[in-house]
């Protein structure tokens, strides 16, 4: 027994939609506010924001400078010289204390 109705009331359609929404578990799509800007302007803004985030993330890495071989050698000789001067100063203080104690 098939019924062929051409008229369906609005209440039946709304009830059917409510049942379908509940069974699918999907939230309704968020309504976006009207933005009068062109697509190009909106995309440019998104690109600018991404570029700023990238530059902020890489800013610290740009501040760090790698030491090349010549600089490493210079720093090593500087460190060795400083150690030698500290050792000589300690030895002089030690000798001065021995002389004072005698």
């Amino acid at each position: 027994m098939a019924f062929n109705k051409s008229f369906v009331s609005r209440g039946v359609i709304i009830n059917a939609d409510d049942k379908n929404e509940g069974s699918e578990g999907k939230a309704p799509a968020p309504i976006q506010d009207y933005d009068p800007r062109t697509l190009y302007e909106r995309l440019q803004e998104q690109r600018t924001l991404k570029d700023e985030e990238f530059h902020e993330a890489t800013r610290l890495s740009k501040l760090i400078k790698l030491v090349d071989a010549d600089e490493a050698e210079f720093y090593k000789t500087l460190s060795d010289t400083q150690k030698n001067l500290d050792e000589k100063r300690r030895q002089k203080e030690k000798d001065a204390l021995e002389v004072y104690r005698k």
Side-chain angles (χ1 to χ4, degrees):
M1 205 168 159
F3 292 114
N4 220 353
K5 286 188 177 181
S6 61
F7 177 77
V8 179
S9 70
R10 183 175 185 171
V12 172
I13 293 174
I14 291 173
N15 287 337
D17 287 343
D18 289 343
K19 289 179 184 176
N20 287 340
E21 286 178 6
S23 64
E24 293 176 9
K26 293 182 181 177
I31 300 172
Q32 295 181 355
D33 293 333
Y34 174 71
D35 192 359
R37 298 177 297 162
T38 62
L39 176 62
Y40 177 77
E41 291 170 340
R42 287 182 278 173
L43 291 175
Q44 282 297 105
E45 180 185 17
Q46 289 177 0
R47 184 180 201 184
T48 304
L49 290 174
K50 284 183 181 180
D51 285 346
E52 288 174 0
E53 289 175 6
F54 175 76
H55 288 303
E56 184 65 27
T58 59
R59 182 176 57 95
L60 181 61
S61 64
K62 289 180 182 178
L63 295 176
I64 298 172
K65 180 186 173 205
L66 298 176
V67 178
D68 62 3
D70 292 335
E71 290 176 337
E73 183 180 336
F74 171 75
Y75 290 136
K76 183 168 176 21
T77 56
L78 187 65
S79 174
D80 291 342
T81 305
Q82 187 66 36
K83 285 180 185 177
N84 288 339
L85 290 174
D86 288 344
E87 185 62 35
K88 287 180 183 178
R89 182 183 51 82
R90 283 191 204 112
Q91 188 63 36
K92 282 183 183 179
E93 289 175 359
K94 193 176 186 181
D95 292 342
L97 281 174
E98 287 179 14
V99 168
Y100 178 74
R101 289 180 184 164
K102 290 183 181 180

